[in-house]
Amino acid sequence: MAIIFKAVNYTYQPNTPFEQQALSDVSVEIPSGSYTALIGHTGSGKSTFLQHLNGLLRPTSGEIQIGKQVINAETKNKQLGELRKHVGVVFQFPEAQLFEETVIKDIAFAPKNFGKTEEEAEVIARRMAHQVGLDDDLLVKSPFELSGGQMRRVAIAGILAMEPEVLVLDEPTAGLDPKGRLEMMRMFKRLKDEQNLTVILVTHQMDDVANYADNVIVLEEGKMIANGTPSEIFSQPDWLVAHHLALPKAGEFTLELEQKTGIKFSTLPLTEFSLAQKIASLLHGGDVNHG
Amino acid sequence: MGKILLGRYVPGDSVVHHMDSRAKLILSFFFIIIIFLANNWQSYVLLFILTIGSIMAAKVNFGFFIKGVRPLIWLILFTVLLQVFFSSGGTVFWKWGPFNLSYYGLINGAYVFCRFVLIIFMSTLLTLTTAPLEIADALEKLMMPLKKIKVPVYEISLMLSIALRFVPTLMDETAKIMNAQRSRGVNFGEGSIMQQIKSVIPLLVPLFVSSFNRAEELATAMEARGYRGGEGRTKYRVHYWHTGDTVGCVIFVAVMIILLFVRHW
């Protein structure tokens, strides 16, 4: 489902001493089936932005079109249930949302809420538990007996069980070990490719942006300051520094290499893979201008 | 949740903000007591002058106070209507079964309304101008005499300051879990009473679990930093009684004395 923001403003606690404008005049289109990364400094409005995606917040002005549904300041709560079925949101530290007696019940909770029968929900729950790599013997345990990483998987499976068309991920790998992080990110990529999901990822990991995203939105103080492909966004290192962002590691390494050796690459490689390719072709004498 | 102003602190720079928190706490209690001495319109005018004077001294926008009353308006109206329809005495204007509309009823209703508004204004002023931890500190100081009768004052004040500190954290946590469960298809505050009660479970269970975890982590962190109980600790925040505090107390006592003169006996 394509998501279109049209001049969206959002103000927290309007008309009080705590009034705070979190989004100002955000207009952006997230194409259907894209893998969009949302980046920005802490407090730039990323979380506010993603709470608009399934109607937890409604814009104070402007409107959002998600699939066929339009959300504006007047949209009623009743109309949002249908939308939430299609947009699954994995919040930061989603293990805090677990509450059922067993893992399988917790995963089946959302599909049941959205009208599946007990049996259907359990079938989906089992399938999703496998998707996220949970063993069968864990399914009958209490979610509170599991390790932090396993709880995270259960929580994510609980969202995937809604079978959403749009998957919103708010720092899904924060606090995980490197192996868990890699597995998780690969799983999202695989799900996206298999089921043609639209994925929106909020992250501070520029490597994840470079490795997985095909579209990047940059927020600063509630305003959208850039929107483009990762190679467009990462093409101006000075601009990134000015906005408290950074290059992916491969990019930084390349800049340093260019400085030290005087070699100029034609384009800045953003992933380790493309960097390795460039260096390999460099060794074979191609794709570089000796400066 | 975000609409309730009562109990929130807005940093500022005014006479009232700089007052000793003990003084503010005592004066607020004192004020609530003297409100019940007022029993005619002159005395209420006097108290309103005092309240509005204090608000002006605190340089807080008056509109915030009006908004502070708004969430409680139904409670106030309910109490006022009870007073109006069930008090008897004076000229009776209208009567129907147990209900009657009398002169005294109307007067009493108006007084109850004034009392509510005054109490809410003053306590909003206290919390708007005093940081929660300062209030906890002041309470500890004021409870010190109770140590003589074996009240665990340190422990109570420690629990109080931890509780106050975690109110906003727990509110955030609640909002976060609510959002997460809403995204999973829970409709809070909709449907029949049974459904509404059921919908609270996915909110309460995680909240309790996270509170337990938080308590355990906090206790460990406190022990690791050498906390061994309240006895024999020194204080980081020290209270100073200024002239302003004495002036405040004198004004309030003066108002009470005038009040004693203008009230009916």
Side-chain angles (χ1 to χ4, degrees):
Chain A
M1 282 200 288
I3 298 164
I4 305 163
F5 276 59
K6 289 176 196 154
V8 170
N9 282 291
Y10 186 79
T11 311
Y12 280 105
Q13 307 188 30
N15 309 319
T16 71
F18 312 103
E19 181 175 295
Q20 196 193 355
Q21 182 152 18
L23 288 183
S24 36
D25 204 24
V26 175
S27 296
V28 67
E29 185 177 343
I30 300 172
S32 182
S34 72
Y35 196 130
T36 299
L38 187 59
I39 58 176
H41 205 42
T42 313
S44 56
K46 301 187 296 286
S47 296
T48 310
F49 183 93
L50 61 86
Q51 286 183 56
H52 279 82
L53 296 172
N54 71 347
L56 290 173
L57 297 176
R58 274 159 289 182
T60 3
S61 72
E63 65 174 44
I64 304 162
Q65 196 181 339
I66 302 174
K68 287 192 188 79
Q69 187 147 16
V70 174
I71 308 174
N72 54 32
E74 276 85 45
T75 310
K76 295 276 176 296
N77 259 327
K78 285 243 183 324
Q79 300 161 270
L80 295 170
E82 183 62 24
L83 174 69
R84 293 197 181 132
K85 230 190 268 189
H86 300 301
V87 183
V89 185
V90 177
F91 285 93
Q92 256 174 58
F93 301 103
E95 51 274 26
Q97 74 194 25
L98 305 178
F99 73 100
E100 281 279 16
E101 297 149 51
T102 62
V103 168
I104 188 98
K105 272 191 183 176
D106 205 289
I107 303 178
F109 179 65
K112 270 196 295 188
N113 281 332
F114 289 121
K116 292 270 194 292
T117 65
E118 198 96 16
E119 291 76 33
E120 287 171 329
E122 209 179 302
V123 171
I124 300 173
R126 268 180 206 287
R127 200 174 71 229
M128 288 310 161
H130 285 156
Q131 288 266 23
V132 300
L134 289 167
D135 292 333
D136 271 333
D137 55 322
L138 289 181
L139 298 185
V140 290
K141 281 195 177 177
S142 155
F144 300 109
E145 291 174 46
L146 307 183
S147 73
Q150 287 169 330
M151 283 170 84
R152 178 81 54 99
R153 283 163 201 268
V154 175
I156 291 172
I159 302 296
L160 294 175
M162 293 159 51
E163 304 184 301
E165 292 167 52
V166 179
L167 184 61
V168 182
L169 306 161
D170 190 357
E171 297 191 45
T173 60
L176 288 185
D177 57 47
K179 182 168 169 274
R181 176 172 293 189
L182 195 64
E183 279 176 13
M184 213 60 104
M185 291 310 294
R186 286 194 176 146
M187 181 189 80
F188 293 133
K189 177 74 176 159
R190 196 187 70 230
L191 284 172
K192 181 203 167 284
D193 292 341
E194 282 172 8
Q195 300 172 22
N196 196 28
L197 296 177
T198 308
V199 176
I200 298 159
L201 169 76
V202 173
T203 185
H204 291 290
Q205 307 288 330
M206 297 304 153
D207 288 330
D208 287 345
V209 177
N211 279 325
Y212 303 104
D214 47 39
N215 183 21
V216 184
I217 297 170
V218 188
L219 289 180
E220 188 180 69
E221 287 174 1
K223 295 184 191 70
M224 192 191 73
I225 54 169
N227 175 22
T229 63
S231 44
E232 284 165 9
I233 300 293
F234 291 126
S235 62
Q236 293 159 290
D238 299 335
W239 182 88
L240 289 172
V241 172
H243 295 283
H244 309 283
L245 298 167
L247 277 174
K249 280 193 213 85
E252 291 205 352
F253 175 82
T254 311
L255 286 188
E256 215 161 302
L257 191 68
E258 286 184 348
Q259 233 172 26
K260 292 261 165 70
T261 60
I263 298 170
K264 283 266 175 280
F265 287 81
S266 54
T267 55
L268 190 67
L270 297 174
T271 60
E272 277 112 25
F273 182 71
S274 65
L275 174 64
Q277 275 188 324
K278 294 249 169 183
I279 293 179
S281 65
L282 174 66
L283 293 174
H284 291 106
D287 191 52
V288 275
N289 319 310
H290 288 274
Chain B
M1 241 177 286
K3 289 207 175 82
I4 297 172
L5 273 176
L6 195 72
R8 297 190 63 172
Y9 170 62
V10 188
D13 181 38
S14 75
V15 193
V16 180
H17 280 91
H18 292 304
M19 271 174 81
D20 192 316
S21 49
R22 283 173 298 175
K24 280 189 274 189
L25 204 60
I26 296 172
L27 289 182
S28 307
F29 279 128
F30 183 69
F31 183 77
I32 289 170
I33 294 163
I34 61 175
I35 281 176
F36 291 95
L37 290 176
N39 59 3
N40 59 7
W41 68 267
Q42 292 95 331
S43 50
Y44 278 108
V45 167
L46 184 69
L47 289 178
F48 265 107
I49 291 173
L50 178 68
T51 312
I52 290 166
S54 312
I55 291 172
M56 274 158 64
K59 295 185 197 156
V60 185
N61 188 341
F62 194 72
F64 301 157
F65 288 85
I66 305 285
K67 286 201 194 87
V69 172
R70 211 179 280 163
L72 295 169
I73 196 73
W74 294 113
L75 177 72
I76 299 175
L77 282 184
F78 177 72
T79 324
V80 167
L81 289 180
L82 272 188
Q83 283 286 337
V84 168
F85 287 112
F86 290 101
S87 313
S88 49
T91 328
V92 175
F93 301 115
W94 175 78
K95 201 166 164 51
W96 182 75
F99 303 101
N100 66 64
L101 194 63
S102 69
Y103 178 69
Y104 276 133
L106 284 177
I107 296 280
N108 274 337
Y111 287 171
V112 166
F113 182 76
C114 286
R115 274 181 199 166
F116 263 114
V117 170
L118 285 170
I119 292 177
I120 293 169
F121 274 17
M122 220 24 139
S123 35
T124 309
L125 182 66
L126 171 75
T127 55
L128 275 179
T129 58
T130 321
L133 279 182
E134 273 189 53
I135 297 184
D137 266 1
L139 271 177
E140 178 178 352
K141 270 274 159 56
L142 295 173
M143 283 192 303
M144 268 315 161
L146 295 179
K147 261 187 84 65
K148 293 249 160 38
I149 52 165
K150 302 252 164 73
V151 177
V153 172
Y154 290 118
E155 280 70 26
I156 292 176
S157 77
L158 178 75
M159 284 194 280
L160 200 66
S161 24
I162 292 177
L164 282 171
R165 154 70 187 78
F166 280 103
V167 167
T169 315
L170 276 179
M171 295 253 277
D172 285 353
E173 182 102 23
T174 313
K176 259 187 2 211
I177 297 173
M178 256 175 118
N179 275 343
Q181 306 298 27
R182 267 199 199 121
S183 309
R184 296 212 281 166
V186 179
N187 291 316
F188 291 104
E190 276 173 34
S192 68
I193 292 187
M194 255 339 261
Q195 281 173 321
Q196 290 201 29
I197 293 175
K198 263 190 167 165
S199 76
V200 176
I201 297 172
L203 176 63
L204 278 189
V205 175
L207 210 53
F208 271 109
V209 170
S210 90
S211 302
F212 282 128
N213 290 339
R214 206 185 289 280
E216 206 175 306
E217 280 162 23
L218 182 68
T220 314
M222 281 171 72
E223 276 190 320
R225 295 168 79 181
Y227 179 81
R228 271 171 294 137
E231 216 65 52
R233 294 180 71 206
T234 53
K235 284 252 139 211
Y236 174 66
R237 280 181 296 268
V238 183
H239 293 271
Y240 293 104
W241 191 273
H242 303 285
T243 2
D245 301 312
T246 319
V247 173
C249 291
V250 168
I251 292 174
F252 272 63
V253 171
V255 167
M256 186 191 70
I257 292 167
I258 303 172
L259 188 65
L260 288 177
F261 278 109
V262 298
R263 79 191 283 254
H264 294 304
W265 289 100

